[in-house]
Amino acid sequence: MGNLNMAALMLIMWIVSTAKATPAVVFDVRKYGAKTDGKSDITEALSSAFKEACASATTSKVLIPKGTFQLRQLCLKGPCKAAVEIEVQGTVIAQTDSNKMKTDGSWVSFKYMDRFTLSGGGTFDGQGPKAWGTCGKKYCKQLPINLRFKSITNGLVKDITSKDSKQFHVNIMSSKNLEFQRFTISAPPESLNTDGIHMSRSQNITIKNSNIGTGDDCISIGQGSQHITISNVKCGPGHDNGVRIKTWPASFEGSVKDVIYEDIVMNNVANPVVIDQVYCPANECNAKLPSKVKISNVSFKNIRGTSATPVAVKLDCSSGIPCQGVEVADIDLTYTGKEAPAALSECSHVMPKISGKHSLSICGVSA
Ligand SMILES: *[C@@H]1O[C@H](CO)[C@@H](O)[C@H](O)[C@H]1NC(C)=O
Ligand SMILES: *[C@@H]1O[C@H](CO)[C@@H](O)[C@H](O)[C@H]1NC(C)=O
């Protein structure tokens, strides 16, 4: 457990346009039957308000005002006629019992929309505590994740909190040009499988100025993802590991390339810098067969702070396809353990380019 301040993982940058033309038509859920008595279930009201907003020929906004509302389960689906914003000012609460939810794997989903915004300073509370651990320590596929974004293009999620999801907090799939800013994720350290944000098959996804503390993985990037930028994100408390690329042995062919980890502060993190191509928890795979994923052009630059494990830098590449173009510069990590040996590195099947100043020897090149 530890804190990892991901000051900048930068692949590309752009300027966010905030220009707004005509004011949006507002569809307030109170007009559709939602009450602000703290107990009101807004499933139907939100669904109806959204349907009208989605059919509006001009920019529209669905408003969930301040207050506490129950929401059973909902999929808000486009395509819509114009840009739609959902402004959540209040707190929306899930059912405690996931058996009452359809097993489509999500609590609230947003799908097939272009120019979609989710905003407002509000909270989605997944009511996770009773669900955590119901599958033992294992990953529990049938539990719903809090927020799913599928096939969203030109989207913005800002000033939103996801709290105590029953499973992963956010899943982004098949989306393009989607930005998260000032996004907060919170779940206690003992929650199970409450990963922060997972994405796959997506392009140009940005996560910035955000705070993710879940007791599990912070941000994970799965297959088919390109042009991902993560900057100024605080991760923790969370799982062990700081910045990590992992691939299974005996895997399908694939590649991971052009990754820059830069300007990151580690605060008592176990395994702060890792490439692990023999990732095989609980011996679920044949660890003797090499990974077929090719890792190239990866740099770790200006990473500093404290390591909770003696091995602060571990570059364990595939024996079948060694890593290429790995660059390590300016690593300043100290081990915090009592017996306090100096922090170490472990390297196999990699010959990194090493430059700058280091507080530890990296792959045999002394500090
Ligand atoms: C990336 O997405 C942002 C919105 O999040 C958009 O403003 C920008 O133009 C996109 N960049 C490219 C190269 O498409
Ligand atoms: C390595 O990555 C950088 C940044 O993504 C890119 O500009 C560069 O062309 C890549 N180099 C190679 C050899 O692929």
Side-chain angles (χ1 to χ4, degrees):
M1 305 269 166
N3 285 319
L4 149 66
N5 195 334
M6 206 177 265
L9 156 55
M10 226 186 61
L11 303 186
I12 49 169
M13 283 182 73
W14 56 80
I15 295 164
V16 182
S17 147
T18 51
K20 272 211 175 116
T22 42
V25 195
V26 178
F27 297 86
D28 186 326
V29 291
R30 283 171 292 194
K31 291 210 188 97
Y32 297 83
K35 295 192 192 70
T36 50
D37 58 7
K39 291 176 288 211
S40 179
D41 183 316
I42 57 164
T43 312
E44 277 77 29
L46 178 55
S47 172
S48 309
F50 174 78
K51 271 188 194 127
E52 293 203 13
C54 188
S56 162
T58 55
T59 301
S60 61
K61 182 190 276 185
V62 173
L63 177 67
I64 300 176
K66 288 217 164 78
T68 302
F69 304 94
Q70 308 289 322
L71 178 63
R72 296 197 303 280
Q73 195 169 19
L74 198 55
C75 175
L76 301 174
K77 226 192 255 182
C80 297
K81 287 214 168 120
V84 174
E85 174 166 359
I86 299 183
E87 185 174 323
V88 184
Q89 296 176 351
T91 297
V92 181
I93 298 186
Q95 307 169 88
T96 318
D97 185 358
S98 62
N99 295 320
K100 291 187 183 149
M101 298 168 85
K102 277 181 269 159
T103 53
D104 78 339
S106 28
W107 173 34
V108 188
S109 22
F110 307 96
K111 297 183 176 175
Y112 313 109
M113 285 190 269
D114 183 47
R115 289 174 297 147
F116 170 70
T117 302
L118 178 64
S119 66
T123 298
F124 289 87
D125 180 345
Q127 294 287 306
K130 286 225 174 79
W132 296 330
T134 49
C135 305
K137 290 233 162 195
K138 276 193 172 150
Y139 168 69
C140 210
K141 203 177 178 181
Q142 64 269 34
L143 288 176
I145 66 162
N146 259 11
L147 304 171
R148 185 180 297 274
F149 298 87
K150 185 177 179 194
S151 299
I152 297 295
T153 52
N154 304 307
L156 176 61
V157 177
K158 60 172 183 184
D159 302 305
I160 288 290
T161 296
S162 172
K163 180 174 183 284
D164 293 349
S165 181
K166 292 185 174 71
Q167 210 224 80
F168 286 19
H169 282 260
V170 174
N171 186 296
I172 302 168
M173 208 180 136
S174 305
S175 292
K176 199 175 168 182
N177 305 349
L178 175 60
E179 176 164 316
F180 284 69
Q181 44 173 278
R182 296 186 301 271
F183 190 70
T184 304
I185 297 184
S186 76
E190 66 276 12
S191 63
L192 282 172
N193 286 313
T194 52
D195 286 25
I197 301 179
H198 178 74
M199 65 186 85
S200 60
R201 295 176 215 169
S202 293
Q203 285 147 47
N204 189 20
I205 308 298
T206 302
I207 301 168
K208 65 183 194 189
N209 304 340
S210 293
N211 203 332
I212 302 178
T214 69
D216 216 301
D217 286 354
C218 179
I219 296 173
S220 55
I221 301 173
Q223 81 279 16
S225 304
Q226 283 179 309
H227 300 293
I228 311 300
T229 309
I230 299 162
S231 63
N232 196 25
V233 172
K234 180 172 180 287
C235 294
H239 255 187
D240 296 348
N241 303 303
V243 292
R244 173 171 66 163
I245 297 174
K246 70 179 191 200
T247 72
W248 295 74
S251 53
F252 293 109
E253 286 177 20
S255 69
V256 176
K257 60 179 184 180
D258 301 340
V259 183
I260 304 172
Y261 294 104
E262 194 169 24
D263 301 333
I264 299 171
V265 177
M266 301 287 172
N267 183 359
N268 199 28
V269 174
N271 316 309
V273 174
V274 195
I275 293 179
D276 181 3
Q277 293 209 263
V278 287
Y279 180 76
C280 185
N283 284 319
E284 287 171 51
C285 52
N286 186 348
K288 290 200 186 89
L289 297 175
S291 165
K292 291 184 201 145
V293 176
K294 178 178 178 179
I295 296 180
S296 61
N297 202 11
V298 174
S299 62
F300 301 97
K301 292 181 178 168
N302 189 25
I303 298 179
R304 57 192 196 276
T306 51
S307 173
T309 48
V311 176
V313 175
K314 180 173 163 175
L315 306 176
D316 196 353
C317 292
S318 168
S319 58
I321 317 174
C323 294
Q324 279 178 5
V326 173
E327 210 181 320
V328 183
D330 300 305
I331 305 293
D332 182 354
L333 291 168
T334 38
Y335 174 53
T336 52
K338 287 228 167 57
E339 64 276 34
L344 306 168
S345 70
E346 267 178 22
C347 307
S348 43
H349 311 291
V350 59
M351 287 176 60
K353 176 175 171 229
I354 295 163
S355 60
K357 272 177 121 177
H358 297 275
S359 64
L360 66 162
S361 112
I362 308 274
C363 305
V365 176
S366 51

